[in-house]
Amino acid sequence: MPMRGWLAPFVYLSSNWISLIGVVLTTTGGLLWLILLPSMIRGSARDPYLGILQFMVLPAIFFAGLALIPLGIWSYKKRNRGALPEVFPPLDLSNPRFRRLLAFIAVTTLANIVIGAQFTYRAMHYMETVSFCGQTCHTVMKPEFTAYQNSPHSRVACVECHIGAGANWFVKSKISGSWQVVSVAFNLYPRPIPTPIENLRPARETCEVCHWPQKYGGDAIRVRSSFTDDEQTKELKTVLLLHIGGGNGYRGIHGAHMGPGVEIRYAHSDPRRTKIPWVEYSRGNERRIYMAEGYSSDSPGSLPVRVMECIDCHTRPSHSFDLPERAIDKALLANEVDRSLPFVRKAALEVMKQDYKTEAEALAEVPRRFIAYYEKNHPAVMSSKRAAVESSAKAVLAAFSRNVFPDMNVKWGYYINNIGHTDFDGCFRCHDERGATAGDRTITQDCDTCHKILAQEEESPKVLADLGLAQTAGKQ
Ligand code: HEC
Ligand code: HEC
Ligand code: HEC
Ligand code: HEC
Ligand code: HEC
């Protein structure tokens, strides 16, 4: 038989240890790959990191095996130059060399598959967990993991937003996920992890599994508390009636951008999408273009264009970091930092805003410096309220550590939150009264369009008393 005749030298020559290991690796890798294939095609969000195995580990084993086979043949030939038979023994079961080879491959491959399947099963279960995503690469994911734990999504698995359902994104995420594993293993990852994530799956496909912006919304009351820097800090409340919208067609914030048939596209001139010179609104036959002041072309030119969706506003649905003022206000609101200490907000901000080179330094220095402030400037307070100063110092450190990660180079304000316009430009990136190329519409900055300001920085807003919320407000 010509085929067997052709294979005979190959089998003979590859009966060396290097090639044999190669053959076994290739068959094991290939077979495991095939066994896993059905679950890959179903590709639910539940077993995402199975893909690291499927797309990285198994192919690596397979190709490493393939490479070993010729390598073995080559070195075997080299070692046995002159000693090779003229005619290679035929490939049938009477050939002991061939029998040995078959038995060897069968036994080792079987053993490998049994071990490999066990390993895969356990690895799979582990890799789909939040703890794998959030904690395995501890330093790398620490900022996001910490913020996530303090977010309304702390019970939503990372993969629900980052991968979602369906084979297509599953595979894409595997490919980039594999690179991430490599970059962590070899310490190649950027610090901080850059944002926005290029090629994040369109959020409407992931968020709308749980949220349907057309469904709810309407108007909602938001009470935001802030504190003063006075010697005796005071709580001030801002009360907004926010027109979230959605349930009522095109009204409100969600309706305006996400209503049926609405598409807003925008061009950004910086990678972080903070500068938006060109915006196009379309809905049915309506189409308008808005250009920022100083931008004269009515086309986006070579700038990258995005279709606006959830995360253009909700940049931080799950990893929300605060600016120092908000962070300390939250701690004061929760009474974790003692409001009665003199100049407590100022003192806290002073230490929180300093530069700490490492996490270890911050851990030691933030509380030490806070306490030192009272020792130096208010010794009487220090002796009468030592416990309060010390527990406040811990809370100041906690507020700091939720937001600043020196080891990852994450400083105050690196991760932008685009909801609102007071901490970052947010809505005002577009809502700056720029006019349309035709007609007299603008992207409005009218203060009553998005919310009605029912009270602004008042100690006891009348509206809260009217609503019967005076006691509980702010403690949300
Ligand atoms: C509710 C959805 C959601 C969940 C749950 C979620 N993320 Fe994210 N994550 C996002 C969005 C949206 C962005 C990117 C925003 C952007 O590109 O501007 C992001 C960004 C990131 C980034 C890039 C850096 C940054 O902050 O922009 C990392 C890293 C990350 N997430 C890790 C995780 C990990 C680890 C978990 C689980 C512990 C997790 N995420 C859970 C929605 C989510
Ligand atoms: C697996 C389900 C799930 C997914 C996916 C999901 N969320 Fe949520 N989301 C929730 C739950 C649960 C809550 C908490 C509801 C509550 O506490 O009242 C929530 C709350 C929110 C809130 C309200 C936050 C607050 O401060 O009260 C926003 C905004 C939000 N999600 C946006 C998003 C965005 C944007 C995405 C996509 C990037 C997303 N969610 C993906 C389940 C999900
Ligand atoms: C134009 C900006 C914008 C876009 C686009 C947007 N949202 Fe929102 N969304 C907001 C604002 C502003 C709020 C109110 C924030 C607050 O609670 O203070 C909000 C609130 C929410 C809430 C909480 C609602 C509640 O009643 O508390 C959810 C959930 C939500 N958005 C989901 C989504 C999803 C899912 C998408 C994408 C389909 C989306 N949003 C797109 C601006 C936006
Ligand atoms: C990418 C640009 C862009 C961003 C960012 C943006 N918007 Fe808009 N917004 C628009 C455009 C375009 C319109 C529609 C203008 C028109 O009708 O031609 C609009 C309309 C609105 C309207 C309806 C206005 C009216 O006259 O009825 C509201 C409310 C609104 N936006 C709220 C927000 C809020 C809140 C945010 C931030 C969370 C935000 N927008 C962020 C582009 C943007
Ligand atoms: C395009 C929509 C939009 C417009 C226009 C707008 N705002 Fe806002 N504003 C928001 C959103 C969204 C928030 C965030 C609400 C929240 O905290 O959840 C906000 C928050 C605020 C806050 C509360 C800040 C805090 O302490 O958290 C104040 C005060 C405020 N706006 C004042 C104004 C004033 C004054 C104007 C007119 C110049 C204005 N806004 C115009 C969308 C808008």
Side-chain angles (χ1 to χ4, degrees):
M1 238 180 264
M3 175 73 172
R4 274 207 207 161
W6 179 80
L7 269 178
F10 182 73
V11 168
Y12 183 90
L13 289 171
S14 59
S15 310
N16 65 78
W17 281 108
I18 299 178
S19 298
L20 282 180
I21 292 172
V23 170
V24 169
L25 288 182
T26 305
T27 42
T28 308
L31 279 174
L32 275 176
W33 196 85
L34 279 177
I35 292 172
L36 288 180
L37 199 58
S39 60
M40 287 301 293
I41 290 169
R42 266 187 281 114
S44 76
R46 299 206 169 281
D47 48 10
Y49 279 89
L50 178 55
I52 290 190
L53 203 74
Q54 183 95 359
F55 285 92
M56 232 174 81
V57 180
L58 293 183
I61 292 177
F62 183 85
F63 288 111
L66 274 190
L68 284 181
I69 299 172
L71 190 76
I73 294 181
W74 174 77
S75 80
Y76 182 78
K77 263 186 158 164
K78 211 171 139 190
R79 268 184 284 121
N80 294 291
R81 198 169 293 154
L84 295 176
E86 278 294 306
V87 176
F88 291 100
L91 283 194
D92 56 37
L93 293 177
S94 63
N95 173 352
R97 212 176 173 119
F98 186 54
R99 274 207 312 273
R100 253 202 343 258
L101 179 69
L102 281 187
F104 176 80
I105 293 175
V107 171
T108 46
T109 302
L110 192 75
N112 274 351
I113 285 179
V114 172
I115 299 166
Q118 276 298 316
F119 164 79
T120 311
Y121 182 76
R122 281 174 206 290
M124 240 172 72
H125 271 267
Y126 177 56
M127 290 196 273
E128 76 198 21
T129 59
V130 167
S131 74
F132 173 77
C133 303
Q135 289 172 307
T136 307
C137 316
H138 192 74
T139 328
V140 193
M141 284 297 129
K142 190 169 182 193
E144 277 72 28
F145 185 62
T146 307
Y148 161 89
Q149 286 173 307
N150 295 302
S151 87
H153 290 110
S154 58
R155 300 286 160 88
V156 175
C158 320
V159 295
E160 305 265 10
C161 294
H162 283 282
I163 300 175
N168 183 6
W169 278 93
F170 190 49
V171 172
K172 283 193 200 171
S173 76
K174 281 324 100 194
I175 294 166
S176 72
S178 307
W179 163 245
Q180 283 158 20
V181 172
V182 175
S183 69
V184 170
F186 295 100
N187 207 356
L188 297 172
Y189 56 86
R191 296 178 180 79
I193 308 256
T195 196
I197 304 183
E198 298 296 331
N199 310 322
L200 188 74
R201 181 172 188 171
R204 303 196 66 158
E205 295 174 18
T206 47
C207 313
E208 289 187 16
V209 170
C210 301
H211 300 291
W212 186 29
Q214 279 77 32
K215 180 74 184 79
Y216 51 73
D219 294 329
I221 294 229
R222 293 282 186 263
V223 183
R224 301 288 177 226
S225 291
S226 56
F227 288 80
T228 63
D229 284 335
D230 307 334
E231 174 159 11
Q232 174 52 60
T233 187
K234 284 195 295 286
E235 180 182 350
L236 302 178
K237 289 172 184 157
T238 294
V239 185
L240 301 174
L241 182 64
L242 198 58
H243 306 307
I244 299 180
N248 37 10
Y250 299 96
R251 286 191 41 217
I253 298 166
H254 286 145
H257 309 85
M258 305 261 103
V262 174
E263 182 171 279
I264 295 177
R265 300 195 309 143
Y266 71 84
H268 51 97
S269 57
D270 63 338
R272 300 198 62 187
R273 307 178 189 147
T274 61
K275 300 201 171 49
I276 302 186
W278 181 91
V279 182
E280 177 198 68
Y281 174 92
S282 60
R283 174 182 151 198
N285 294 330
E286 269 178 73
R287 183 167 173 274
R288 290 183 280 280
I289 288 173
Y290 295 93
M291 285 149 1
E293 224 178 82
Y295 188 79
S296 53
S297 162
D298 63 0
S299 88
S302 59
L303 298 177
V305 175
R306 256 179 79 80
V307 175
M308 190 176 185
E309 44 114 311
C310 319
I311 65 153
D312 291 296
C313 299
H314 295 281
T315 28
R316 305 274 119 211
S318 156
H319 319 292
S320 30
F321 301 95
D322 289 313
L323 292 182
E325 291 77 12
R326 293 237 186 236
I328 190 64
D329 285 347
K330 281 187 183 169
L332 284 163
L333 187 66
N335 285 317
E336 290 159 4
V337 170
D338 193 318
R339 300 181 193 186
S340 71
L341 299 177
F343 294 109
V344 63
R345 190 176 189 266
K346 253 178 98 176
L349 282 176
E350 171 83 28
V351 291
M352 286 161 83
K353 286 182 179 176
Q354 281 167 28
D355 203 19
Y356 302 94
K357 296 277 173 291
T358 62
E359 198 174 313
E361 186 192 341
L363 215 60
E365 283 300 302
V366 171
R368 194 193 65 75
R369 290 184 195 178
F370 181 80
I371 293 171
Y373 168 84
Y374 284 98
E375 277 170 344
K376 175 156 176 272
N377 300 294
H378 303 278
V381 173
M382 200 56 213
S383 55
S384 63
K385 291 190 175 177
R386 170 171 289 275
V389 174
E390 283 172 356
S391 72
S392 299
K394 277 201 193 106
V396 170
L397 174 64
F400 176 89
S401 312
R402 274 197 289 272
N403 295 289
V404 178
F405 301 83
D407 295 347
M408 278 303 287
N409 225 351
V410 173
K411 306 244 165 84
W412 294 108
Y414 174 75
Y415 289 115
I416 293 170
N417 190 341
N418 279 332
I419 293 278
H421 50 82
T422 44
D423 295 357
F424 300 97
D425 288 345
C427 313
F428 287 6
R429 289 174 301 158
C430 298
H431 285 265
D432 55 3
E433 289 297 342
R434 66 182 70 179
T437 38
D440 52 7
R441 288 190 73 100
T442 63
I443 308 186
T444 180
Q445 199 173 90
D446 175 74
C447 303
D448 282 343
T449 312
C450 306
H451 47 56
K452 197 167 166 53
I453 304 176
L454 301 176
Q456 192 163 357
E457 306 203 328
E458 294 176 25
E459 271 190 78
S460 40
K462 181 173 173 310
V463 56
L464 291 184
D466 291 347
L467 290 169
L469 293 173
Q471 291 312 307
T472 50
K475 298 232 165 69
Q476 47 175 321

